[in-house]
Amino acid sequence: MDRRAYFDDLAARWDSFTDGAKVQGTLAGVVRGYGLRTDEHVVDLGCGTGNLTHVLCAALGDAARITAVDLAPAMITMAQRRLPDPRVRWLVADAASLPLPGRSVDRVICFSAWPHFPAPERVAKELGRVLRPGGQLHVLHIDGRDKINAIHTGVGGAIRHDLLPPAADMGHLLERAGYVVIEQIDTQDTYRVSGRWTA
Ligand SMILES: C[S@@+](CC[C@H](N)C(=O)[O-])C[C@H]1O[C@@H](n2cnc3c(N)ncnc32)[C@H](O)[C@@H]1O
């Protein structure tokens, strides 16, 4: 089973694995810390059933645009049903090849999805293509790296090798792709690496 089929199969059960209200509460705090302008175009990359999308809708104003992207159509269907907000454009797409114009995005937030990208360098460059100069990319997890990696290894199947690298390695990957690293946190409880697109 490939990752797309894996996540399609998981979509109907995904929300039963987490406490949605708690996740969204934590995300709201993180998003506040990112300092979004209310009129930004933000990409929620690997949106799943829309936990972060929901938080972004609450944080952003009427002039904002949110593009919620996921590889798995069933995830997008679930999220769309849950969140009928006209500011959100739902896209079934691969993070490595986005159907978005260059320099059209202010910010990309990739919440709990980065380890699933088989070619992360390609994704970092693709995000650089769609970001405006000065735009920001946030790779975000609200659990620690060891816990996340143990879950993926334990679950096995299509995601058994989907491991989050140490934040320092992620920072180097972003630098090689053309970002300046502005945040690098890798603790027992959280993982946050952010870069500013400079090219
Ligand atoms: C662990 S889930 C997290 C979903 C959501 N961000 C959340 O935390 O509730 C990872 C998501 O990334 C998506 N994904 C995996 N590989 C992807 C890719 N190459 N491009 C876009 N999305 C991808 C999956 O379909 C899945 O919905």
Side-chain angles (χ1 to χ4, degrees):
M1 189 190 273
D2 64 13
R3 285 186 186 80
R4 180 178 160 134
Y6 174 85
F7 284 110
D8 258 341
D9 180 60
L10 188 63
R13 286 172 287 130
W14 178 245
D15 290 335
S16 68
F17 295 134
T18 51
D19 177 344
K22 191 170 168 211
V23 168
Q24 288 175 22
T26 305
L27 286 176
V30 175
V31 163
R32 257 195 309 279
Y34 287 157
L36 278 67
R37 291 192 328 267
T38 55
D39 62 348
E40 290 191 4
H41 178 195
V42 182
V43 170
D44 175 358
L45 187 65
C47 63
T49 55
N51 278 314
L52 174 65
T53 324
H54 182 90
V55 169
L56 290 171
C57 284
L60 293 166
D62 288 346
R65 277 184 302 149
I66 299 158
T67 303
V69 177
D70 204 281
L71 183 67
M75 288 284 190
I76 292 283
T77 302
M78 296 280 298
Q80 220 167 357
R81 235 182 255 149
R82 181 174 165 189
L83 203 61
D85 187 304
R87 294 169 299 171
V88 184
R89 179 182 177 206
W90 302 99
L91 276 182
V92 175
D94 188 326
S97 177
L98 296 171
L100 294 173
R103 298 183 168 212
S104 62
V105 171
D106 297 297
R107 192 180 300 270
V108 177
I109 307 179
C110 181
F111 169 52
S112 284
W114 192 274
H116 303 302
F117 303 153
E121 295 82 3
R122 231 181 104 191
V123 173
K125 285 189 182 139
E126 175 64 352
L127 299 177
R129 182 187 69 77
V130 301
L131 279 168
R132 299 188 215 282
Q136 294 183 27
L137 163 62
H138 307 285
V139 177
L140 170 65
H141 294 260
I142 57 175
D143 282 310
R145 180 165 54 86
D146 288 346
K147 181 175 171 187
I148 291 157
N149 289 345
I151 291 171
H152 293 175
T153 306
V155 165
I159 65 160
R160 68 191 182 284
H161 299 306
D162 293 2
L163 302 181
L164 200 52
D169 293 356
M170 175 71 75
H172 290 138
L173 183 152
L174 294 187
E175 280 168 358
R176 283 195 302 276
Y179 298 78
V180 170
V181 174
I182 55 175
E183 178 182 52
Q184 205 168 277
I185 303 170
D186 190 350
T187 67
Q188 219 178 346
D189 309 318
T190 192
Y191 182 97
R192 291 165 54 168
V193 180
S194 299
R196 180 174 287 114
W197 181 246
T198 55

